[in-house]
Amino acid sequence: MRPFLLAVATLASAPALAAPDWLQPVLVGEIDWRQHVSEVEGFDGVTLGRLRVGARAYPAPWLMASGVAEWAQEKPALIDAFVAATLGESLRLSMGMSKTPLFISARDENLEARTIPELSLLAATFWPRRDLGLEAWWAPKTLPVEAWVRVGNGSRSPLGNDNSLPALDARVDGRWGRARGNVDAFWGFRAGAGVHVENAYDRAGIGGIGPQNFVFYRPPPVSGPRSVVEAHARLDVGPVRVLAEGAAAWERRSRDTDGNPNTPREGLPQMESQGASLEVTWVVTGRPRGDGARWPIAPNDPNGMEAFNAGKVPLGAIEVAARVERLWLGRGAPDVQPGGTTGGAVAVRWWMTSFFGLGAAGYVQRYDTAPLEDPGRRNSWLALARATVSVP
């Protein structure tokens, strides 16, 4: 174990030494061992979960540019490509491809730093994910308020939209205690809501996506106005964190009956979906989580280097978590077969250093309707072990 940790430590520190002060390399690597309930839902064994490589540049104290790509796929995919300018102490403007503001669990935390490794069913299903657009962030020093407004293309692609209409994202939070950046505060509270509005053109509606990236519910196409509303609340008390999130979506549908795009389309019944999630985490050892995107650390040796120099394995921080959630999908339309799922997850993570962690997680689901690929089964589970490297 120790030779491997020394190699990881060298990898974590070497880029920082070689790069100029204004350039910050980004590396996220995740190696998984997975066991699925069925080959239909995924392959078992060792796999490269993620490999994100890129850099952040700070040519001026108020200016930042980020470019990150995901390589653990059949084709490289652009994750971040944006420029952000901070004006004063409370306003930031950004332009490019980046995360959309909705959902604490998806927007505010880095994916590799989550206690339960994969997104919740709720966030994986309802979160608009990344988009190309313009965003304004406002967090006045004198008020416990944080707000985002974003105008994007709505297609999740950096290459363009499926129509000429933009998408709008907005979120407003109230925050107190540790949620305002006071890492030494014993408690913290953040609560708020967000909305996503766009106009779709013959696009797949909201479907069910599990932690193994298996689509267990496939809705019909939607066309026309669609909106997603979410609400969230997060309470920190000492080492314990409780996060509750809920969401609802309304999607219009229509179809072309004569093949002429210039004639009115036939309207179809609107489709509705809802979901809720409750997650509890406990930092058993180590400094409790702050409001940022990083994982917990050991207070006396946050980087783990003192233990390395002494020939020891760093103690780091240990965190455990449990989550329950529920989805109702494809409701309200008589011509659509509804779906949904009830799910749960447990996880333990050992954040050994500021750049390396080990963890294990288990996920279970009960589908309302069997997936198309396996009509005779409604239960699902996934066992996951993960090693994570994150620089910086």
Side-chain angles (χ1 to χ4, degrees):
M1 172 68 77
R2 187 170 183 271
F4 174 72
L5 292 177
L6 288 173
V8 173
T10 302
L11 178 66
S13 59
L17 295 175
D21 292 340
W22 55 268
L23 186 64
Q24 183 182 75
V26 175
L27 170 65
V28 175
E30 293 179 338
I31 298 178
D32 294 348
W33 174 86
R34 292 173 175 255
Q35 182 70 40
H36 298 80
V37 66
S38 168
E39 290 185 359
V40 169
E41 298 197 3
F43 296 105
D44 298 334
V46 178
T47 181
L48 182 62
R50 288 179 182 87
L51 180 59
R52 298 183 175 182
V53 180
R56 299 187 185 98
Y58 299 85
W62 51 270
L63 184 64
M64 187 266 281
S66 177
V68 180
E70 172 62 74
W71 295 86
Q73 297 178 359
E74 293 183 0
K75 297 180 180 180
L78 190 63
I79 300 297
D80 286 331
F82 66 91
V83 176
T86 302
L87 308 179
E89 294 184 346
S90 60
L91 179 64
R92 183 178 67 233
L93 303 178
S94 62
M95 176 178 64
M97 186 79 173
S98 60
K99 289 181 178 180
T100 53
L102 273 62
F103 291 98
I104 286 181
S105 60
R107 166 60 175 77
D108 295 6
E109 296 181 3
N110 288 339
L111 190 145
E112 69 274 11
R114 297 189 180 108
T115 315
I116 301 178
E118 299 299 330
L119 282 171
S120 67
L121 295 171
L122 181 77
T125 299
F126 290 91
W127 182 36
R129 298 184 183 263
R130 287 169 165 82
D131 196 15
L132 182 68
L134 303 172
E135 181 177 295
W137 168 85
W138 180 61
K141 297 293 184 181
T142 57
L143 296 174
V145 176
E146 191 171 13
W148 297 259
V149 176
R150 183 182 186 88
V151 177
N153 65 16
S155 69
R156 301 186 185 178
S157 169
L159 302 179
N161 201 353
D162 53 7
N163 56 46
S164 60
L165 299 175
L168 173 67
D169 292 88
R171 171 181 156 191
V172 179
D173 283 8
R175 52 181 188 152
W176 298 267
R178 198 187 303 168
R180 294 195 70 179
N182 184 3
V183 296
D184 296 323
F186 179 74
W187 70 278
F189 184 67
R190 175 186 285 271
V195 60
H196 170 85
V197 179
E198 65 173 318
N199 194 295
Y201 181 76
D202 287 344
R203 186 190 309 168
I206 290 179
I209 305 174
Q212 67 286 71
N213 291 323
F214 174 69
V215 181
F216 59 85
Y217 175 73
R218 290 181 169 83
V222 298
S223 185
R226 64 184 301 271
S227 57
V228 177
V229 175
E230 65 92 6
H232 49 263
R234 187 184 70 203
L235 174 65
D236 291 289
V237 179
V240 177
R241 167 170 289 182
V242 180
L243 171 62
E245 294 181 303
W250 297 265
E251 299 178 293
R252 295 287 183 86
R253 301 164 56 228
S254 64
R255 62 184 177 187
D256 188 350
T257 58
D258 59 7
N260 185 351
N262 296 320
T263 58
R265 298 165 64 99
E266 178 186 352
L268 296 173
Q270 178 177 271
M271 194 164 57
E272 301 175 3
S273 299
Q274 300 88 30
S277 174
L278 178 64
E279 181 176 320
V280 179
T281 64
W282 174 33
V283 181
V284 181
T285 62
R287 181 181 296 173
R289 284 180 177 263
D291 194 53
R294 297 295 297 173
W295 59 58
I297 57 175
N300 299 326
D301 188 12
N303 294 323
M305 300 310 296
E306 291 184 10
F308 280 128
N309 295 334
K312 301 178 181 179
V313 175
L315 296 178
I318 296 176
E319 191 175 23
V320 296
R323 182 171 67 212
V324 293
E325 45 199 334
R326 172 66 191 170
L327 297 179
W328 298 269
L329 305 172
R331 307 286 164 158
D335 61 326
V336 175
Q337 172 67 43
T341 185
T342 300
V346 294
V348 56
R349 302 294 290 266
W350 177 21
W351 308 111
M352 191 179 301
T353 71
S354 62
F355 52 84
F356 181 73
L358 296 171
Y363 305 83
V364 294
Q365 287 179 258
R366 172 69 175 175
Y367 302 136
D368 290 2
T369 57
L372 295 175
E373 294 82 356
D374 196 350
R377 181 175 52 82
R378 292 177 57 192
N379 295 318
S380 174
W381 56 263
L382 168 67
L384 170 66
R386 172 169 291 174
T388 302
V389 175
S390 179
V391 181

